[in-house]
Amino acid sequence: MSLSGKPVELREHLLGFTLSVVSKMIFKEKYFGDKEDKSVLDMDEMREIVREWFVLNGAFNIGDWIPWVEFLDLQGYGKKMRALRRKMDGFCDYVIDDHLERRGEGENDFVDVLLQIEDGVQFTRDCVKALIMNLLVGATDTSAGTIEWVMLELLRHPRVMEKAKAELNSVTGRNRWVEEHDMAQLPYIYAVIMETLRLHPIATLLAPHCAIGDCNVAGYNVSKGTLVLVNAWSIGRDPDSWDAPEEFLPERFIGKDIEFITGSNFAVLPFGSGRRRCPGMNLALKTVPTTLANLLHGFELKLEEGIRVEDISMEEQYGLTTIPKHPLSLIMEPTLPSYLY
Ligand code: HEM
């Protein structure tokens, strides 16, 4: 990351970081990074695949709504999807074959564990591929996008930024980075994240669900097979549930446990609720706060020269995830002792 006073586009770094964290868990990351070896993807290509996956999955495809024109693929999304699938498939095949070849060597990673289950009757190679891609795409854009929204809100609210930094200083001091064991003592950092997820749930309509039977919800009849979209964005801004719903006020979450936003309270649903809620939630609620805390603790974060707080754009780019339309560019000046960087 540039520390030379030049603007840094945070998104690329956050995507790379979250991808690297999750890929370490899935397959120890050894398939990324080597541009020379054509049989594997490098990190930039993988990041691009993840981004494209989200854009295509969230795109409004005319053929989905008017099925008799689907074969025309009017917007070309079908063609792009097939090309993307070939890339993902090729990558997953390479990963699985390599794991099968090295079976028994070293410590097991997530793919090894899945392949052991594949030896059973029902768990096919396609299942393993789907799970690998599910985790890669599920973890990356969501966590990175959430941190970018937090940063935007903090830059717009210097009072909150200062309060968060003061909390970090009092817990961690100025001679080290923030560690996982500090997190229990950082309620304001968590409040900032909860408030950001209320206003900017990254999956604004959660994932599309399908009614598995006829039912009645709040007086409305829903027939079996109906596509159900839950508008988490509107729910988080509902004036019946929230005072000053459009305002960024982390203090409203002080005294509330993180459980408050994990699906039991229907006034705020950034991870969904019930059996299909986000399975990566607990991981996200560790990586997002620790990443944010270290960025705040270790850097003075400033807007580029000539950009005022009022100029910060909060426009959204809608897709399966809703991220800031204009990537945030920042000046990041290190503030801890130099030996820590
Ligand atoms: C701040 C970070 C995150 C947010 C806000 C978030 C949010 C969500 C939401 C709203 C859903 C859909 C739930 C529903 O429709 O009811 C979802 C699904 C999912 N998430 Fe996350 N997520 C985050 C991080 C992660 C991470 C780190 C992982 C993986 C390690 C992950 C893996 C998944 C997967 C695999 C699904 C699909 C589950 C299914 O199909 O049943 N997510 N997430």
Side-chain angles (χ1 to χ4, degrees):
M1 182 174 289
S2 158
L3 300 175
S4 57
K6 289 201 193 108
V8 175
E9 204 167 277
L10 207 54
R11 182 173 301 172
E12 288 311 304
H13 295 283
L14 291 174
L15 282 174
F17 174 69
T18 48
L19 189 54
S20 146
V21 169
V22 75
S23 55
K24 267 189 185 125
M25 289 178 199
I26 304 175
F27 38 63
K28 305 191 205 102
E29 209 194 357
K30 63 187 172 208
Y31 302 101
F32 295 137
D34 185 357
K35 275 196 196 291
E36 305 309 310
D37 184 349
K38 291 290 167 217
S39 54
V40 290
L41 295 168
D42 68 57
M43 200 64 148
D44 291 344
E45 282 173 299
M46 195 62 195
R47 232 160 27 197
E48 204 30 57
I49 285 182
V50 171
R51 269 294 329 131
E52 201 181 349
W53 187 93
F54 273 104
V55 171
L56 290 175
N57 274 281
F60 179 83
N61 181 26
I62 295 170
D64 290 345
W65 302 92
I66 313 174
W68 52 270
V69 297
E70 194 186 344
F71 77 100
L72 293 171
D73 190 19
L74 291 168
Q75 299 139 291
Y77 289 142
K79 193 173 167 204
K80 284 187 186 162
M81 268 284 188
R82 284 189 292 278
L84 185 64
R85 205 198 89 166
R86 277 194 296 277
K87 270 194 230 168
M88 288 175 150
D89 236 34
F91 173 71
C92 288
D93 273 327
Y94 183 89
V95 170
I96 293 173
D97 289 340
D98 190 52
H99 274 72
L100 288 173
E101 245 171 60
R102 294 163 193 246
R103 209 167 241 207
E105 285 174 25
E107 265 181 48
N108 275 353
D109 56 28
F110 184 73
V111 176
D112 289 314
V113 174
L114 290 180
L115 289 172
Q116 283 159 20
I117 304 171
E118 194 193 26
D119 287 342
V121 189
Q122 298 145 330
F123 221 34
T124 62
R125 176 177 270 249
D126 275 352
C127 283
V128 177
K129 284 186 190 176
L131 282 164
I132 294 175
M133 289 318 300
N134 227 4
L135 284 184
L136 281 179
V137 298
T140 310
D141 221 41
T142 47
S143 307
T146 299
I147 299 172
E148 201 177 354
W149 280 122
V150 180
M151 283 296 177
L152 280 166
E153 288 292 6
L154 289 179
L155 289 163
R156 274 161 32 101
H157 299 91
R159 173 195 72 82
V160 178
M161 171 97 85
E162 284 319 307
K163 203 167 160 183
K165 277 174 170 282
E167 181 181 68
L168 284 161
N169 283 341
S170 71
V171 171
T172 312
R174 300 297 309 153
N175 291 314
R176 65 174 177 88
W177 291 99
V178 187
E179 288 163 21
E180 206 179 320
H181 63 84
D182 296 318
M183 298 312 294
Q185 296 172 72
L186 298 170
Y188 198 66
I189 293 288
Y190 279 99
V192 165
I193 287 166
M194 291 197 260
E195 179 67 339
T196 304
L197 284 167
R198 178 185 73 82
L199 282 169
H200 309 284
I202 203 87
T204 34
L205 299 181
L206 305 186
H209 289 255
C210 175
I212 55 173
D214 294 339
C215 56
N216 184 289
V217 180
Y220 294 93
N221 290 325
V222 181
S223 318
K224 179 178 175 180
T226 305
L227 174 71
V228 180
L229 301 172
V230 176
N231 193 335
W233 189 93
S234 293
I235 289 173
R237 294 170 186 243
D238 183 355
D240 288 341
S241 304
W242 303 98
D243 292 333
E246 300 294 330
E247 279 178 43
F248 184 74
L249 292 171
E251 284 72 12
R252 69 174 97 232
F253 284 104
I254 289 293
K256 293 201 167 60
D257 191 84
I258 196 78
E259 291 293 315
F260 193 80
I261 60 157
T262 58
S264 52
N265 187 311
F266 287 179
V268 54
L269 288 171
F271 296 101
S273 184
R275 275 194 297 181
R276 293 303 292 269
R277 78 177 167 172
C278 174
M281 186 178 70
N282 288 329
L283 176 66
L285 289 173
K286 291 218 178 303
T287 52
V288 170
T290 39
T291 309
L292 173 71
N294 276 305
L295 283 172
L296 290 180
H297 190 55
F299 298 92
E300 182 70 39
L301 305 164
K302 293 194 294 199
L303 290 169
E304 280 183 64
E305 183 113 355
I307 311 255
R308 296 164 310 163
V309 169
E310 314 80 270
D311 299 331
I312 297 175
S313 164
M314 298 302 276
E315 250 186 291
E316 298 165 334
Q317 179 181 305
Y318 180 71
L320 200 62
T321 51
T322 296
I323 54 171
K325 184 166 180 187
H326 305 287
L328 173 62
S329 193
L330 279 176
I331 310 281
M332 300 181 67
E333 281 168 10
T335 52
L336 293 176
S338 56
Y339 65 86
L340 290 172
Y341 293 86

